[in-house]
Amino acid sequence: MAVTLVIFGASGDLTSRKLIPALYQLSRKGRLPTGTQIVGFSRTKFSDDAWRKSLAETTAEFVGKEFDQAAWNRFAPLVHYQPGDIGEQEDFETLHARLHEVEGRSAGKPKDLTRVYYLATAAQFYEEAVERLGAAGLADEENGPRRVVIEKPFGEDLATARALNVAVHKVFKERQVYRIDHYLGKETVQNMMVLRFANTIFEPVWNRNYIDHVQITVAEEVLVGRRGAFYEETGVLRDIFQNHLLQLMMIAAMEAPVRMDADSVRDEKVKVLRAITPLSAALVAMDTVRGQYDGYRKEPGVAADSQTATFAAMKLAVDNWRWQGVPFYLRSGKGMSCRTTQIVIQFRSPPTMLFANGKPGDLCEANRLVIQIQPGEGIQLHFQTKVPDQGMKLRLTDLEFDFHREFKGVMPEAYERLLLDAFQGDASLFARSDEVELAWGIIDPILVAWQKEGQPKLEIYEPGLWGPESSMTWMHGQGRNWFDTCPVIG
Ligand code: BG6
């Protein structure tokens, strides 16, 4: 079925850096549904041609070697621009008429087509955009499915997320709403479900009997740069934990869904969130670490006495049969030693150590499964082997699967998969209303306790390392270490 995609916030960064390059790639690979049209809406007064010209430049920059002028020339005519202001109802009426024109309605073309509205604006405009879409009749489904894709952040805490859900549900039914988290579009994240549920050898050991703990790290080398003012309001908990990190944790911890459909998958993910006990203020002081990189307060748009965390680590417990007693350590920071997103399943040590490895009482490192989501995408299983000709000396070695080595093509960008899913009406990789609210329910008490109790203290850390020193000592205090090899693959 033909699709019209309407992008609100068309002149913004997300559109030029991610959405248009992803749509261009889909078109180049012949994956866009026949009859796809793309309409950009924002206040800047572009003509169609001026917008296309500016997008050609940015797409060439972001796509790099894969930019092919002939493929762009085939794609560009699908792209249109309609200037307008989210604050003006009249502009939505004009948009409606323009959509009919772009869709060839006046020329008597078939009426049945899918429309997807993508909110890529600043979050403060989401509610108004949805309300005005409703008032202009743009959410009515008489002429085919109407869907809305909502970017993160979905709310800034539980109360605002709930209010936004209420506002959205006044216009769209839940099945029409696609709350996007681009981490779910990453190949290795989806591959984690395949690893767990299309193989039999991992699932029997994927539980408290064999796993000591799980570490999930989203480390970024970059600093906040030009995003200081945004980051001041957001901080690492809202920016990465409430969405990306909790999503990764849900996929690592969930039970197998009964089917691979949107609700079955999301039901299982939601159960994980329900099993996480939100931290009390006393536990926040003990089970979280927060830091700010040295120099953050001098970034443009940042207060000279800012208390915003650019690094956090936390320990969460999943209170169910599978995970009772297995801590999940989540960690993320800007200004870290290297860019990596990885999930480490740390298995228990063997019950007795038969091989002294040289010194009596020596323990060997236990098995570990490392799922690296970026920069290189792949999986490594760490296990002990005997060093030849050196008595019973042991050495940790690995089995490795590297996506790039196995599959020669370039890995697709997360937005390609997610846009296509939204076009086809598959919401499995999008968050449901209860899911975002439950996720905020876990993050809110930490935000509140940090602000009210001031514990743990905000620690300043040197950029280029692994966050504050206390993150290491906190782990050591629990008899564990962060797995800081980076990148482990690629
Ligand atoms: C975004 C955050 O959601 O994710 C950014 O707002 C962060 O602060 C980015 O840099 C990380 O995404 P990726 O895909 O580069 O890991």
Side-chain angles (χ1 to χ4, degrees), residues 146-347:
R146 301 292 180 260
R147 305 187 183 118
V148 63
V149 179
I150 306 181
E151 260 296 333
K152 66 169 273 260
F154 195 92
E156 57 192 48
D157 54 21
L158 178 56
T160 50
R162 271 193 187 137
L164 183 55
N165 271 331
V166 169
V168 169
H169 288 151
K170 281 190 188 144
V171 176
F172 291 98
K173 298 191 179 65
E174 178 59 25
R175 64 168 173 73
Q176 295 173 275
V177 186
Y178 289 64
R179 295 171 196 79
I180 200 163
D181 183 318
H182 76 281
Y183 266 61
L184 291 178
K186 293 184 190 269
E187 288 286 322
T188 330
V189 175
Q190 294 160 53
N191 195 45
M192 195 159 46
M193 281 202 249
V194 176
L195 178 84
R196 293 193 53 202
F197 305 133
N199 295 294
T200 47
I201 59 169
F202 299 109
E203 210 41 30
V205 296
W206 207 270
N207 57 50
R208 63 194 301 273
N209 297 327
Y210 293 92
I211 296 177
D212 176 74
H213 71 275
V214 178
Q215 296 181 15
I216 310 182
T217 298
V218 174
E220 297 186 276
E221 269 179 273
V222 291
L223 306 177
V224 299
R226 289 186 300 125
R227 300 170 81 215
F230 158 82
Y231 205 82
E232 273 291 87
E233 300 296 314
T234 313
V236 69
L237 288 191
R238 293 189 175 98
D239 195 36
I240 303 283
F241 280 74
Q242 186 273 343
N243 35 67
H244 309 324
L245 267 172
L246 285 179
Q247 285 293 344
L248 296 179
M249 178 171 170
M250 282 184 256
I251 293 182
M254 71 195 268
E255 299 301 315
V258 282
R259 270 182 301 279
M260 273 313 281
D261 61 35
D263 273 329
S264 308
V265 171
R266 298 186 298 181
D267 285 346
E268 295 309 330
K269 283 167 63 192
V270 157
K271 278 196 220 159
V272 175
L273 294 181
R274 285 212 190 102
I276 300 175
T277 322
L279 301 182
S280 62
L283 279 180
V284 170
M286 269 170 43
D287 286 347
T288 71
V289 176
R290 63 175 170 148
Q292 186 188 75
Y293 67 78
D294 193 15
Y296 173 72
R297 291 174 186 173
K298 297 210 175 78
E299 303 277 17
V302 173
D305 58 352
S306 171
Q307 293 296 303
T308 303
T310 60
F311 172 96
M314 67 180 64
K315 178 166 91 166
L316 294 177
V318 184
D319 257 321
N320 63 17
W321 273 60
R322 186 189 285 269
W323 296 116
Q324 181 60 48
V326 180
F328 279 73
Y329 294 97
L330 311 189
R331 166 176 73 152
S332 179
K334 302 260 186 217
M336 302 280 275
S337 152
C338 100
R339 174 176 181 250
T340 188
T341 296
Q342 64 190 15
I343 298 173
V344 176
I345 310 291
Q346 179 63 63
F347 291 95

Side-chain angles (χ1 to χ4, degrees), residues 458-475:
L458 180 77
E459 200 183 325
I460 305 296
Y461 62 94
E462 277 308 307
L465 303 173
W466 283 96
E469 186 65 35
S470 54
S471 163
M472 275 56 103
T473 46
W474 176 70
M475 271 303 242

Side-chain angles (χ1 to χ4, degrees), residues 15-29:
T15 307
S16 54
R17 297 175 72 95
K18 299 288 181 190
L19 303 183
I20 296 292
L23 291 160
Y24 156 79
Q25 292 284 30
L26 289 171
S27 157
R28 188 179 65 80
K29 297 176 194 168

